[in-house]
Amino acid sequence: MKAIWQNEVIAESDKTVVVENNHYFPPTSVKLGLLNPSRTHTFCGWKGEASYYDVNIKGKINHDAAWYYPAPMQAAENIKGYIAFWKGVEVVD
């Protein structure tokens, strides 16, 4: 799987974890230099608190386009630290 925005591959892995139709990429497969921490946080009743990243490709910012669970609830422990994408970031096979 690949996560692509602005013709740039942000993440690539054959070891994503699919949860609720979202591919979560292992952090080692993500170009973390393209992500900037966001102040946004949301809460899921079974996964816990999500933190967000802005995606930055050559100065173009896609706010809160990536998220992850730094300390998920036990039911979502398998995606701890894994990163998922949305807001126009294409996730393709």
Side-chain angles (χ1 to χ4, degrees):
M1 299 302 298
K2 292 181 183 179
I4 303 167
W5 189 65
Q6 296 291 315
N7 297 313
E8 177 86 30
V9 175
I10 304 164
E12 185 171 5
S13 178
D14 60 359
K15 295 184 179 3
T16 62
V17 177
V18 179
V19 177
E20 297 179 330
N21 296 316
N22 294 301
H23 284 268
Y24 285 79
F25 290 80
T28 56
S29 71
V30 179
K31 295 179 182 174
L32 297 175
L34 300 176
L35 305 180
N36 300 321
S38 164
R39 293 184 186 173
T40 302
H41 297 277
T42 57
F43 186 80
C44 169
W46 72 273
K47 291 185 295 249
E49 185 178 58
S51 295
Y52 287 76
Y53 290 114
D54 296 336
V55 176
N56 183 342
I57 307 291
K58 298 176 185 160
K60 292 188 178 182
I61 309 293
N62 191 343
H63 294 285
D64 297 335
W67 76 93
Y68 67 103
Y69 292 87
M73 293 179 163
Q74 187 173 3
E77 192 67 30
N78 63 323
I79 59 168
K80 181 178 182 174
Y82 279 47
I83 301 168
F85 299 92
W86 66 329
K87 291 194 167 183
V89 176
E90 292 183 273
V91 177
V92 297
D93 198 354

